[in-house]
Amino acid sequence: MSVFLLDAPTNLGLRPPEPDAVPGCYKAPGALRDHGLLERLGAVDAGVVVPPRYHGSWDGRTTRNLGAIADYSRRLAGRLSALLATEGFPLVLGGDCSILIGSLLAVAERSEPRPGLVFVDGHSDFRHPGNTDVLQAAAGEDLAMACGLADPGLGLDRPLVDPADVVVLGVRDDDEHLAEITDLGMHVETCGNILRDGVERCTARALEHLETRGVRDAWVHIDVDVLDPEVLPAVDSPAPGGLDQQHLVDLLATLCSVPVARGLEITVFDPDLDPTGEHAADLVDMLVAGLAGAGLGRGGKVSDVSDRFVAGRPH
């Protein structure tokens, strides 16, 4: 199956890293391409969806850049919908986690009876008007937005996914919204679960949940802050106690190989925090190996990357 590589280089969903600066995640697609991702996957170049200008100003109440995010999400959905109509497998390179809205708009349009979501992230991203008085950045609200709990300014007329059709993997065990998302019916495998039980058992439980729910089409979201900062520090919000490289390779290989998986997005890698490019190179190795394990692309064998990374496991 062909992989279609689509760039979504938006930073609209992030707060400024410092005054008068913009987040560097918009550089991630270019950095990953610079390390040969397109060629190593043997992917079809699906181009780029250019985002609107980032504005760092904020009124202190509503989500930053919300109107621009709404516009960008619909344009991204249009491009992605055309790719989903093919027999290929889209890989969307973010950018920040707000690209989830555009991706799910596209998947929801084509899903029967309804879409599912595999949400691999170090954080639940579930801040919303019902649990906070102050909205901030969409990258901390994207899962809540997808479930219909967005700032009304986003303009969604319906939830994009039923919370019970969501599986969450890799969220830290002390996440502040863990109880809330569990109570809403999401199946959650925390980072602690994965470290204790392994990727195979945790993904089996998660995929069984989607099967029980009757989900036939699911989108795979991976925020690379699911990795431990010792492995990949070049992210917007690093949190200790994460996964290692081989965990991510195994998650990609498993989750992208199942029939319900319709595509994948990668978010929140920040090249501004990777001045030597070493972490971009490592991330490309992980993506190539994981997708090869899923039977996608033409990259190196999973064992090639396994042998390289196993000695450096932080756990």
Side-chain angles (χ1 to χ4, degrees):
M1 181 185 294
S2 297
V3 176
F4 289 91
L5 202 62
L6 177 64
D7 293 2
T10 177
N11 55 9
L12 295 168
L14 295 171
R15 64 189 184 278
E18 58 187 60
D20 301 319
V22 299
C25 290
Y26 74 95
K27 301 177 183 179
L32 299 178
R33 284 173 178 260
D34 276 351
H35 285 274
L37 181 60
L38 179 73
E39 296 79 11
R40 291 180 62 189
L41 288 175
V44 178
D45 192 341
V48 57
V49 183
V50 178
R53 183 188 297 275
Y54 177 89
H55 291 285
S57 60
W58 178 49
D59 64 11
R61 294 176 290 105
T62 58
T63 303
R64 296 177 188 274
N65 295 305
L66 194 61
I69 290 170
D71 171 70
Y72 187 70
S73 295
R74 284 165 176 77
R75 290 195 289 114
L76 176 58
R79 290 282 291 278
L80 186 54
S81 182
L83 298 179
L84 289 169
T86 74
E87 294 299 316
F89 186 90
L91 168 54
V92 182
L93 301 179
D96 69 71
C97 291
S98 66
I99 66 171
L100 177 64
I101 304 308
S103 298
L104 281 178
L105 279 168
V107 177
E109 180 183 303
R110 308 187 61 83
S111 297
E112 292 293 340
R114 60 193 183 277
L117 173 63
V118 179
F119 191 83
V120 181
D121 201 308
H123 307 87
S124 63
D125 294 355
F126 212 71
R127 185 175 59 242
H128 60 81
N131 62 26
T132 183
D133 293 330
V134 181
L135 296 174
Q136 299 179 46
E141 303 165 12
D142 51 287
L143 181 55
M145 288 176 166
C147 294
L149 299 172
D151 184 322
L154 189 60
L156 296 177
D157 59 4
R158 68 191 188 284
L160 299 177
V161 66
D162 186 323
D165 295 328
V166 177
V167 296
V168 176
L169 298 100
V171 65
R172 301 302 192 263
D173 293 62
D174 60 355
D175 188 274
E176 63 179 320
H177 302 305
L178 191 57
E180 183 177 6
I181 63 175
T182 303
D183 289 346
L184 287 171
M186 296 185 198
H187 178 91
V188 180
E189 298 287 346
T190 66
C191 184
N193 287 3
I194 295 172
L195 295 175
R196 182 185 66 248
D197 296 343
V199 169
E200 183 177 357
R201 288 184 181 180
C202 291
T203 54
R205 292 191 293 252
L207 293 170
E208 182 181 9
H209 175 83
L210 292 181
E211 182 178 3
T212 301
R213 290 283 301 168
V215 170
R216 299 175 187 170
D217 302 288
W219 185 252
V220 182
H221 162 93
I222 295 186
D223 180 336
V224 296
D225 71 15
V226 74
L227 293 166
D228 192 274
E230 291 186 21
V231 171
L232 187 71
V235 297
D236 175 69
S237 298
L243 305 181
D244 69 17
Q245 296 99 323
Q246 191 60 47
H247 289 123
L248 181 57
V249 170
D250 293 343
L251 283 167
L252 286 163
T254 302
L255 297 173
C256 295
S257 67
V258 294
V260 296
R262 292 293 170 262
L264 166 70
E265 67 189 22
I266 301 294
T267 66
V268 176
F269 175 66
D270 188 343
D272 282 350
L273 304 176
D274 180 28
T276 67
E278 62 182 302
H279 299 301
D282 281 353
L283 182 53
V284 167
D285 283 347
M286 288 181 255
L287 291 171
V288 170
L291 292 176
L296 297 165
R298 66 181 185 202
K301 297 178 181 178
V302 179
S303 59
D304 295 340
V305 175
S306 300
D307 293 343
R308 178 182 167 204
F309 286 145
V310 71
R313 281 177 181 260
H315 303 289

